[in-house]
Amino acid sequence: MNASARSADERATFDHAAILAELADATADERAGRQTGAVGAVMRRAVVGARLDAMKHADRGDRIAARYARSIEALIRAVFAIAAPGDASIAICAVGGFGRGELAPFSDVDLLFLHSPGDDAALRPVLDAMLYPLWDSGLKVGHGVHTPKSALQFAREDVIARTAYLDMKFLCGAKPLYSKFDADFRKFRKRTTAQFVAAKLAEQGERQEAVGATRYLAEPDIKEGKGGLRDVQTIRWIYNYVYNGAIGDGAEIDKILGAANVRALVKAERFLWSVRVHLHDLRGRADEHLTFDIQPAVAERLGYADRKDMSAAERLMRHYFVTAVETGRLTRILCARLEEESTKRLPRLPALLPKKLQSDEAPGKPNVRIRGGRLDFESAARARKTPRDFFRYFRAFSKHPKIDFHPDALALIAEHATDVTSDVRKDPVVAALFKAILESNENPVRTLRVMTEIGLLGKYVPAFGDIVGRIQYGLYRQYTLDEELLRALSVYREIRLGRLAEEHPVSTRVVKEAPNPYVITLALFLHETAWTIKGKSPVECEKLIGRIVRRLGLDRDEAALASWGAANHLMLVRTAERRNLTEADTIARFAEAVGAVERLDLMVVLSTCHLRVVGRYSWDEVIRRQLTELYESSVAWFEGGETALQARLQSRAALARKEARARLADWSDAERDAFLAQLTNEMLRCVDSDIIVRFAYLARAAAEDRADAAVRVTPRDGDLECIIYADDRPGLLADIAGAVATQGLSVRSVQAMMTADGRAFDIFSVQSADDTPADDPLLARRLHEALLSAARATPKKKPDLKRRLGDRRQIFHVEPAVRMERDASRDAVVFEAEGLDRPGLLYDIASALGALDVSIASAHVATYGERAVDAFYLTDARGEKITDRQRLKKIEKALYAALGAGAAA
C-alpha cells in the first residue's frame, strides 16, 4: 500500500488552501440559502482546471496521470475538511488506480470509506456531504463503505476488491481505522498468495478472451486488451501480493525479473499511459479503444511523423504492438519465476529430457534440457555462440509442445537474435530445422508466433520481419499483417488435417494431392511479402520470394511455383468478384494468365486461407461459390480448352435447371416450365439454386398479383439479401441503389441480370455502414418498402445520401481510379471504378452512366472496408459494344466525377 508521504516534488498541483477557501465560501452560501449549486460549480471548475493543468504541465502520460491524481486527492481533502472537520470516526482511502496515484483524464475515482462499528445513521450525513460535491464535480466516483472487519471479509470473497485494496492509500480522516485494516489485510495476503496468483491469471485470460484474445488487433483496447495496461498492472499486482511491495521497492525484483526487464516494464507502462491519457483527452471521455479515426491524432500528439513507407499512425501502432509483445514476455517471465520459487513446476512433467528431444535434423545432441518443468538450454554459453541452437530449441518445442518455454532461453534468443546473419540464413541445416518446425509440429502457429515475438523469425526471414507489427490503415483488415499470416497458416493446417473438408472440399482435395505440401506452406507464409516492396510490384515480389524459398529448401521448379502463387494470390479472388463468370471469354483469359493448373491449385488454397482471416466480411457463401465456379471452369479449360469449357458451362446451367425443377416439386409442370423458360443459362450458371427457388416464389406471387415489381428481403449472416424482380428500365439499378442508401445501408455486392423476357432480376447483398449486423426486422421492413417503391417507378426525389452516425469510411482517403478493358468481354466494354465507399456511391455511378445513355449489361460490386471497386459491363442502348473512343472518354470522365462526388459534397 502506498501509505508513505509524497516527496516535495510530488506535491499537489494547485493551491489546497485556495480551494478550501472557495469551497468554504460556497458551502456557507448554500447553507444560508444565498445560492444553489455553488459548491458543484466550484467543484466542476476545480476538476476541469486540474485536468487542463495536468495536460499542460506534464510531458509524459504517466506524469500526467500522477499530476491529475494529486490534484483530485487535494480536492477530496478539501471537501472532507469542510464536510467533517475533525471527524475521527471515518477514514477516506483511495483504492485501485487512484490509490496508485494514476488517474487518466476521465477515469473513475474509486474510494473506500472505513468507519468504526456503530450507528450507521450518524455516518450518512458525512457520506452525503462528501459524495454529493464529488458527483456534482462531474467525476465518476465509485465507492465502498466498510468497517475494517467487513472490508476484510469483502476482500476474502471478491478478488477484484482484493486487487483494489492492494493499491490503497490513506487520504484523510481517522488514520487508526486505515492502519487497522492495513495490518489485517497484510496478514490475510500471506495466507492466500497461491490463490490470488491463480485467480488473477484466470481473470486475465477471461478478460482477454472477451475483448479479442490476440495482441494484434488493428483497433486494440489499450486498457483491457492482451498486452495492454491491465496486463502491465497484473504483473505489478502479482508481484505486490507475493512480495508485499511495489516493483522497484526491494531487492527481490532483481532476482525475479532482473534490472533490464524492470526497465522494459517501466518503458512499456509509460508508453501505454501516454497513449491512454491523450486518447481520453482527445475523446473528451473515458475511451480505451484505439480506433482508426483517432490513431492519427494520437500519433501527432506523441510526435510521430510520416515516413516514405509508413504513415505516422502506422508507426504509432507498430510501437503499440511491440509494446504488447513485450508485456506478454514479461508476464511469461514473472509466472515462470513464481512457479520456480513456489511449486518447482508440476511433478507430472518430465525432469529428464524425453528421448524424442535427444536428436533432430542437425548433427549432434541438441543443446536443450528440462529445468523447472520448462524447456531451457543445457549450456547458455554455447547457445550464445551458436545461432543454430536457437532453431534446434524451437524444433525441440515443436516435438513436445506440452513442455513450455523457459523465459531464460527466450530472453537469450531475443538478446542474440541479431546474430542470425546471412551465413545462418544460408545454412541448409537451419533450413531443414525450419522446415521441420513448420511441417512436423502439433502447433506450428504457436511456435512461429513466439519466434516472431522474440525477433528470431524476422531475422531469419527479413521479408517477414518487415511486416511484423504493421497494419494496413483501413477497415478491411482486422489484424496486423504478421498475425494475419499466422492465422492463415492455422486455417491451412486445419485443411491439411481434413477438418474443413465439408467447408472447403476443393482446397482439401488440392492439399491432399499436392506433391509437396511444403510449397503451399511457404507460399502462404510469404504471400504478404509485397508489402515490403516499393510499389508492391508482383514481378519484384516474385523474384524476392523465389530467392527466399530456394534457401528454405525448395528446388527450382517448386520455388518458381511458390513464388508465383505468393506474388499473384489475389488474381483469383479479384477475377471472381469483379468479372462476369458466365462468359467463356472471361474464364479463358483468366486461365491463360494463370498459365498452369498447378498454379491454379496453389492459388485456390492461398485465396481460401487468406480470405478466411483477413477481414471481418472477407469470406462468405457468395465468395466461396464464386471462387469454386472460377476454379472449376478454369480446370475445364486447362483439361480440354474452349470446347471443354463450353461443355462445363452448359452442364452447370443444366444441373442448376434440374435442381431448381426438383426444388419446385409442388408446382405444376406447366408452371415450372414457364418459369424455367425465363431463366437464361447465364443466370443459372452464376446464381445458387437456393436463390433461384426464392426468386421463383417471388415471381409467382408477382404474377398472381399482376404486379409490375416484387421484392424479397431476407437476413443472411448479419447482412440483408435483397431480390428484386421488376420491369427493366433505364436507371433501374441506380434507383435501387439509391433506395438502399436512403436507409443508411451500404451495398456489399450486387448481381444484375435479365430474364429471357427482358425483366430485371437483381440480387443485392446489403450491410450496415458501422460494422453492426443489418438483420434488424424493422430495418428489413423499411428497406423492403423503399426497394419496392424504387422498383415500381423512379422516385420523384433524389435520395438523401448523407453519411450516417457510426460510418467510419469518411476518415480514410482512397485515390479514385478508373480502369477500362476493351477486350475483357466479347459483347461489352468493362470499366472498373475504384474509390472511397460512401452512402449512395453505386447510385451516383449508375446515374452517371444512365445520363450517358449507356446500358449496364452486368454489374459486379466488391468492397474492401472503406474501398469500393465496382465493375460494369457496358453496352450502348441497343445492346452493342461501345467502340467509339470519344464516347469511352466521356464514360471515363463521368466515372471519375461520380467517384469524387462524395468528396465534393
Side-chain angles (χ1 to χ4, degrees):
M1 296 184 188
N2 303 323
S4 60
R6 296 284 185 183
S7 61
D9 63 334
E10 292 180 310
R11 60 187 179 276
T13 60
F14 52 74
D15 193 338
H16 183 281
I19 296 172
L20 180 61
E22 197 172 350
L23 281 173
D25 291 343
T27 302
D29 286 345
E30 287 196 3
R31 288 173 178 171
R34 291 189 292 270
Q35 290 191 59
T36 299
V39 172
V42 172
M43 292 289 289
R44 282 191 295 275
R45 286 198 304 273
V47 169
V48 172
R51 196 176 291 138
L52 293 173
D53 171 81
M55 295 301 300
K56 181 178 180 181
H57 291 101
D59 58 345
R60 236 176 33 211
D62 57 323
R63 291 174 178 167
I64 292 171
R67 189 177 181 100
Y68 182 50
R70 293 194 295 271
S71 296
I72 300 304
E73 288 175 14
L75 191 59
I76 290 171
R77 292 190 184 99
V79 174
F80 181 77
I82 296 171
D87 194 320
S89 64
I90 189 169
I92 301 178
C93 310
V95 295
F98 185 37
R100 290 192 302 274
E102 298 171 346
L103 204 59
F106 292 92
S107 288
D108 296 358
V109 174
D110 294 322
L111 298 173
L112 173 63
F113 295 91
L114 289 171
H115 65 92
S116 303
D119 187 6
D120 291 345
L123 184 65
R124 175 51 57 188
V126 178
L127 292 175
D128 289 346
M130 283 295 303
L131 290 172
Y132 278 104
L134 293 176
W135 288 332
D136 289 343
S137 72
L139 292 171
K140 188 176 180 181
V141 180
H143 71 282
V145 183
H146 286 284
T147 65
K149 183 178 180 180
S150 69
L152 187 61
Q153 181 60 34
F154 188 40
R156 285 194 182 98
E157 300 168 354
D158 191 292
V159 174
I160 294 176
R162 196 187 310 179
T163 306
Y165 295 163
L166 266 177
D167 297 309
M168 187 169 71
K169 175 186 175 183
F170 173 74
L171 296 181
C172 50
K175 193 164 186 178
L177 289 171
Y178 163 83
S179 300
K180 166 65 175 167
F181 175 62
D182 183 23
D184 292 344
F185 187 52
R186 287 177 185 272
K187 293 176 185 177
F188 167 73
R189 283 162 50 188
K190 290 181 180 179
R191 302 191 303 269
T192 56
T193 296
Q195 178 201 47
F196 180 81
V197 172
K200 293 313 292 183
L201 293 177
E203 176 190 286
Q204 182 184 54
E206 293 171 3
R207 167 174 47 80
Q208 292 170 351
E209 190 66 35
V211 298
T214 175
R215 297 181 181 90
Y216 308 99
L217 289 171
E219 297 182 291
D221 183 321
I222 63 166
K223 180 182 177 184
E224 303 291 349
K226 193 170 186 178
L229 258 176
R230 193 64 85 201
D231 283 359
V232 175
Q233 291 162 352
T234 297
I235 295 173
R236 292 188 177 276
W237 288 328
I238 290 175
Y239 181 87
N240 190 347
Y241 206 96
V242 174
Y243 296 103
N244 199 30
I247 287 178
D249 285 355
E252 282 291 337
I253 188 60
D254 291 331
K255 183 171 69 172
I256 300 301
L257 283 178
N261 286 324
V262 172
R263 289 193 297 271
L265 178 66
V266 171
K267 183 179 179 182
E269 192 170 26
R270 285 176 178 174
F271 170 76
L272 292 170
W273 266 110
S274 292
V275 173
R276 188 183 185 206
V277 296
H278 287 292
L279 182 57
H280 275 220
D281 189 54
L282 287 163
R283 292 286 197 203
R285 65 179 189 276
D287 188 346
E288 315 299 347
H289 286 89
L290 192 55
T291 51
F292 285 124
D293 57 323
I294 204 72
Q295 287 173 11
V298 174
E300 183 179 3
R301 285 276 189 99
L302 296 181
Y304 293 89
D306 292 344
R307 296 283 173 83
K308 284 194 302 184
D309 62 337
M310 200 179 299
S311 69
E314 288 177 299
R315 293 182 63 217
L316 164 71
M317 295 311 299
R318 197 166 199 180
H319 191 172
Y320 171 82
F321 295 123
V322 169
T323 300
V325 167
E326 187 73 342
T327 301
R329 183 181 71 84
L330 295 170
T331 303
R332 187 184 294 115
I333 291 173
L334 179 62
C335 292
R337 292 290 186 270
L338 291 175
E339 287 172 352
E340 287 180 349
E341 293 270 318
S342 57
T343 66
K344 302 302 182 184
R345 197 64 173 159
L346 297 175
R348 69 174 182 272
L349 291 176
L352 298 175
L353 193 68
K355 185 176 181 179
K356 62 181 177 180
L357 300 191
Q358 295 177 17
S359 63
D360 56 26
E361 289 71 18
K365 184 176 179 293
N367 178 22
V368 294
R369 62 169 175 161
I370 307 299
R371 179 161 72 94
R374 293 173 181 264
L375 189 65
D376 197 5
F377 286 115
E378 184 174 30
S379 169
R382 174 185 155 187
R384 291 188 186 96
K385 298 176 182 178
T386 315
R388 183 186 286 180
D389 281 358
F390 304 165
F391 298 89
R392 301 188 77 175
Y393 176 84
F394 281 101
R395 177 66 181 117
F397 174 78
S398 72
K399 292 182 177 182
H400 206 318
K402 292 183 180 179
I403 305 178
D404 205 355
F405 302 105
H406 197 288
D408 285 353
L410 295 184
L412 186 152
I413 298 173
E415 182 181 355
H416 293 275
T418 53
D419 294 341
V420 178
T421 60
S422 177
D423 289 340
V424 178
R425 288 191 283 270
K426 293 176 182 177
D427 184 350
V429 174
V430 173
L433 290 166
F434 185 66
K435 178 180 179 179
I437 289 170
L438 286 172
E439 298 292 277
S440 304
N441 192 339
E442 290 183 26
N443 194 346
V445 173
R446 188 193 174 202
T447 309
L448 292 175
R449 185 171 286 120
V450 176
M451 292 176 71
T452 300
E453 291 176 352
I454 63 174
L456 179 62
L457 189 53
K459 290 299 181 183
Y460 185 58
V461 185
F464 177 83
D466 288 342
I467 65 171
V468 171
R470 186 166 182 175
I471 62 171
Q472 180 185 20
Y473 188 63
L475 297 175
Y476 182 54
R477 295 178 187 262
Q478 54 185 329
Y479 304 110
T480 59
L481 294 176
D482 55 306
E483 177 68 6
E484 180 255 300
L485 276 180
L486 297 182
R487 287 174 178 259
L489 284 168
S490 182
V491 173
Y492 174 54
R493 175 170 171 76
E494 294 296 294
I495 291 174
R496 287 185 71 172
L497 294 173
R499 295 170 181 168
L500 299 179
E502 187 174 338
E503 295 176 65
H504 304 297
V506 172
S507 293
T508 300
R509 178 188 58 76
V510 168
V511 171
K512 185 177 181 180
E513 297 175 0
N516 184 3
Y518 190 46
V519 173
I520 305 176
T521 302
L522 289 181
L524 189 60
F525 174 61
L526 295 165
H527 81 274
E528 294 288 11
T529 302
W531 284 90
T532 69
I533 296 174
K534 187 176 181 180
K536 299 186 178 68
S537 164
V539 174
E540 294 302 316
C541 181
E542 187 175 345
K543 290 179 181 177
L544 174 59
I545 296 172
R547 292 194 295 270
I548 296 171
V549 297
R550 284 297 303 277
R551 70 173 175 82
L552 292 180
L554 298 188
D555 63 29
R556 187 177 299 277
D557 291 340
E558 291 171 337
L561 175 60
S563 59
W564 186 91
N568 297 278
H569 70 280
L570 293 177
M571 185 188 299
L572 179 70
V573 64
R574 285 176 176 170
T575 303
E577 289 182 323
R578 305 178 193 177
R579 291 297 179 265
N580 185 353
L581 302 184
T582 67
E583 288 191 350
D585 287 352
T586 297
I587 308 297
R589 284 170 59 87
F590 167 76
E592 287 173 353
V594 173
V597 72
E598 293 80 8
R599 289 179 171 184
L600 181 67
D601 286 343
L602 175 59
M603 195 184 298
V604 76
V605 178
L606 298 185
S607 297
T608 299
C609 297
H610 173 80
L611 293 171
R612 279 288 302 265
V613 301
V614 65
R616 293 181 182 89
Y617 307 109
S618 55
W619 181 266
D620 59 13
E621 182 59 23
V622 173
I623 190 63
R624 186 202 65 79
R625 190 169 60 248
Q626 289 173 333
L627 291 181
T628 302
E629 177 64 21
L630 179 55
Y631 171 83
E632 292 182 348
S633 296
S634 299
V635 168
W637 185 89
F638 280 118
E639 291 178 347
E642 187 172 346
T643 301
L645 174 59
Q646 290 288 358
R648 198 264 168 194
L649 293 177
Q650 291 296 330
S651 65
R652 173 77 178 85
L655 178 62
R657 196 178 295 275
K658 182 179 179 181
E659 288 180 355
R661 179 178 291 278
R663 297 279 296 277
L664 298 174
D666 59 330
W667 288 28
S668 68
D669 289 341
E671 280 184 304
R672 281 187 293 182
D673 291 342
F675 169 72
L676 292 173
Q678 299 304 313
L679 304 185
T680 64
N681 285 342
E682 289 76 11
M683 293 172 63
L684 290 165
R685 286 200 292 263
C686 68
V687 179
D688 186 74
S689 60
D690 289 338
I691 296 178
I692 291 292
V693 171
R694 289 195 286 275
F695 172 50
Y697 284 98
L698 183 69
R700 183 195 216 185
E704 290 174 350
D705 296 339
R706 298 188 178 182
D708 54 3
V711 172
R712 175 169 177 162
V713 177
T714 309
R716 298 282 174 200
D717 300 322
D719 292 347
L720 293 174
E721 175 196 87
C722 308
I723 301 177
I724 299 98
Y725 178 53
D727 291 335
D728 193 29
R729 65 172 187 271
L732 175 61
L733 183 65
D735 293 339
I736 294 172
V740 172
T742 61
Q743 303 305 309
L745 298 169
S746 177
V747 176
R748 184 180 173 200
S749 65
V750 61
Q751 291 175 279
M753 294 163 286
M754 195 82 67
T755 61
D757 61 351
R759 302 200 75 189
F761 169 36
D762 297 341
I763 308 166
F764 279 64
S765 179
V766 174
Q767 63 186 10
S768 68
D770 59 358
D771 292 341
T772 59
D775 51 6
D776 176 64
L778 180 60
L779 177 61
R781 284 198 298 273
R782 290 203 312 266
L783 178 60
H784 181 275
E785 293 173 3
L787 290 173
L788 186 58
S789 177
R792 286 171 172 166
T794 299
K796 296 179 180 179
K797 293 182 179 180
K798 288 187 176 182
D800 178 10
L801 301 181
K802 294 180 181 178
R803 291 188 182 273
R804 286 347 192 232
L805 188 65
D807 185 349
R808 300 191 296 152
R809 293 171 296 185
Q810 62 186 323
I811 67 177
F812 301 98
H813 173 74
V814 176
E815 191 67 29
V818 175
R819 295 177 287 272
M820 177 181 64
E821 290 189 35
R822 298 185 185 184
D823 301 324
S825 170
R826 186 174 301 175
D827 303 319
V829 177
V830 177
F831 274 90
E832 278 190 359
E834 179 175 359
L836 181 66
D837 197 18
R838 63 174 189 268
L841 174 62
L842 182 58
Y843 167 81
D844 285 336
I845 292 176
S847 297
L849 294 174
L852 294 174
D853 199 24
V854 170
S855 178
I856 301 174
S858 68
H860 309 270
V861 174
T863 54
Y864 311 93
E866 74 285 355
R867 182 184 302 272
V869 184
D870 299 348
F872 301 92
Y873 283 64
L874 304 181
T875 66
D876 61 20
R878 299 186 303 274
E880 297 178 357
K881 189 169 184 176
I882 302 170
T883 57
D884 182 73
R885 290 179 178 271
Q886 291 302 316
R887 194 170 189 189
L888 293 173
K889 280 287 185 183
K890 287 181 180 180
I891 294 172
E892 181 182 39
K893 184 176 180 181
L895 289 174
Y896 269 115
L899 289 170

